[in-house]
Amino acid sequence: MIRPRRNRRTPAIRDLVRETTLSAKDFILPVFFHEDAENTPISSMPGVTRWSVDGLVKEAGEAFALGVPAVVLFPKIEEALKTSHAEESHNDDGLVPRAIRALKAAYPKLCVITDVALDPYNSDGHDGIVQRDGQGELHILNDETVEVLCQQALCHARAGADIVSPSDMMDGRVAAIREALDSEGFQHVSILSYTAKYASAFYGPFRGALDSAPKEGDKKTYQMDPGNSREAIRETLLDEAEGADMLMVKPAGPYLDIIYRMRETTTLPIAAYQVSGEYLMLKTAAAAGWLDEKAIVLESLTGIKRAGADMILTYFAKQAAVWLR
Ligand code: PBG
C-alpha cells in the first residue's frame, strides 16, 4: 500500500523531505525612526519602536548580528518640513541620508534599502504630488511625481543606499529611476519595485506609526484593487521591462495567490511584505494568549515563502531569527 505517512514518521525523515525552510537570511527588517533623541514605543504597533538615529544603528546592528542581511528605512518627518512638493524627500542633509551614512559607517556590509515615495514628506499625505481641480477633486500627478522620485532615489544613492525601493505605484517610475541612477554613476544600486502593492486596510497601523495617512481621499487611484490578480501580472511584465532587479508583493498573507502567480511569470527574485496589519493580528492574538506566537509567526512566514517569495519584509525579523537559531 502507498502510505504518504512514512515520509512523516520521524523528525529526521521530516527534515529530509521538507520543501520549504526559513532562515534569518530570508528576512528584511523594516525600521521606523525620527529626529528625536528618544526611542519611542509605537502605540499602533505593540512591540515596535520608533528609533533615534543612534537607536536605529543599534537595532540594525543587532538584526545583522542575528543573520538578517537587510533593513528598510521608514522615517517620520517633522510636520514643519512637509510641503506639497515634498522637497525634503531629496535633501542630502535630511533624516534618511544621515541615517544611511550612519548605518553604512557602523555596518558596511549591512544591506540598506530605502523606501522611495513621497507620503512621509508630503503635506497631503499621499505618495505623489496632489493637485485639486476646479470641482475640488484631488488628482495625483504621475509624471511630476516621478521626477521627484528620481531625485529622492539619487539622494539615497549618494548617501550609500544599496537598494532603492519605490512604493509609490506611479506609472513608469522604475524606468525613470533606473535611467537617473545610471546617468549619475549609480549603476550598482538596485531597484526593488513594489510591483503589486494593493490599496489595503492592512497598512493602517503603519500610517499611525509615521503620521502618514492621507489628509484627504484614499490611495485607490494608484494602489491596486484587492479584487485583481491579472493586473499584478501586467505590472510584473512592465517592471521587468523597465529594469527592476527584484519585485514585491504587498501585503503578503492575504495575497499568497499573487506571489504564486508572479513566481510562475518571472525569473526575478520576489519579495513579500508582511505588513503592519498582519503583524498586529498575530501579535495581539498572541498577547491575549489565544495563539502560540512562535508557532504562528514561523508558520505564517513559511506560508509566504512556500507561495514563492525569496525574501520577506517582516516586523518579526529579529524575533524569528532568534527562534530559528
Ligand atoms: C508608503 C508605504 C506604506 C507602507 C510601506 N510604504 C503605507 C501606504 O502605502 O499607505 C505600509 C507598510 C506596512 O503597513 O507595514 N509609501
Side-chain angles (χ1 to χ4, degrees):
M1 185 173 162
I2 296 173
R3 294 181 183 273
R5 286 184 56 195
R6 275 193 291 268
N7 284 350
R8 304 174 199 142
R9 192 171 61 85
T10 70
I13 293 173
R14 290 197 294 275
D15 278 345
L16 288 174
V17 303
R18 185 167 304 115
E19 298 167 42
T20 303
T21 54
L22 282 177
S23 133
K25 292 187 176 61
D26 301 325
F27 303 142
I28 297 169
L29 176 67
V31 276
F32 300 108
F33 60 108
H34 54 203
E35 200 66 73
D36 309 2
E38 252 115 82
N39 301 320
T40 313
I42 296 173
S43 53
S44 62
M45 296 179 70
V48 179
T49 302
R50 202 164 53 231
W51 304 98
S52 66
V53 173
D54 287 347
L56 165 72
V57 171
K58 189 165 166 279
E59 173 73 357
E62 285 174 19
F64 193 53
L66 288 166
V68 176
V71 294
V72 57
L73 306 184
F74 292 109
K76 179 173 181 189
I77 302 299
E78 289 165 42
E79 217 44 52
L81 295 173
K82 298 186 184 182
T83 56
S84 61
H85 283 66
E87 279 84 359
E88 182 63 15
S89 66
H90 47 90
N91 171 5
D92 284 317
D93 297 317
L95 181 59
V96 167
R98 273 184 284 125
I100 299 168
R101 289 191 291 265
L103 286 165
K104 279 294 181 184
Y107 304 103
K109 294 196 171 132
L110 172 73
C111 176
V112 175
I113 306 175
T114 61
D115 193 67
V116 173
L118 304 187
D119 50 320
Y121 306 94
N122 179 319
S123 40
D124 299 292
H126 276 283
D127 292 23
I129 296 169
V130 175
Q131 192 176 58
R132 191 180 290 275
D133 68 17
Q135 277 72 50
E137 289 267 327
L138 298 190
H139 298 278
I140 311 297
L141 304 180
N142 193 91
D143 300 6
E144 292 80 350
T145 298
V146 170
E147 280 176 36
V148 184
L149 297 173
C150 287
Q151 296 189 54
Q152 186 182 17
L154 281 172
C155 167
H156 296 170
R158 279 192 294 272
D162 295 288
I163 301 180
V164 294
S165 192
S167 69
D168 55 287
M169 292 300 281
M170 296 300 118
D171 293 331
R173 90 279 208 210
V174 171
I177 291 172
R178 185 69 271 159
E179 200 184 311
L181 291 170
D182 288 353
S183 68
E184 302 274 328
F186 297 110
Q187 291 87 349
H188 57 283
V189 173
S190 310
I191 299 176
L192 164 55
S193 174
Y194 284 70
T195 299
K197 177 172 179 179
Y198 285 86
S200 172
F202 285 96
Y203 309 150
F206 172 99
R207 294 178 188 169
L210 297 181
D211 266 339
S212 63
K215 299 271 157 41
E216 207 187 311
D218 55 41
K219 299 192 175 185
K220 290 180 185 168
T221 69
Y222 45 108
Q223 299 181 349
M224 284 174 44
D225 188 316
N228 292 351
S229 74
R230 288 196 310 268
E231 196 179 354
I233 302 307
R234 188 176 189 210
E235 292 281 5
T236 298
L237 298 175
L238 278 169
D239 278 357
E240 239 179 20
E242 290 184 31
D245 298 285
M246 306 168 186
L247 309 180
M248 196 193 299
V249 177
K250 174 183 178 187
Y255 294 84
L256 296 181
D257 59 318
I258 306 300
I259 299 173
Y260 183 76
R261 272 192 89 167
M262 281 173 53
R263 178 70 292 154
E264 301 285 287
T265 307
T266 183
T267 57
L268 292 175
I270 294 177
Y273 196 150
Q274 184 182 54
V275 301
S276 55
E278 299 177 76
Y279 169 84
L280 199 67
M281 288 196 305
L282 300 178
K283 200 72 188 171
T284 49
W290 292 329
L291 291 171
D292 172 345
E293 185 174 9
K294 175 178 172 182
I296 208 76
V297 168
L298 293 179
E299 184 176 332
S300 73
L301 295 169
T302 301
I304 293 165
K305 197 170 172 199
R306 191 192 59 239
D310 300 284
M311 57 197 117
I312 305 170
L313 294 86
T314 172
Y315 301 99
F316 291 112
K318 259 180 88 183
Q319 176 65 74
V322 171
W323 285 329
L324 291 167
R325 246 195 323 207

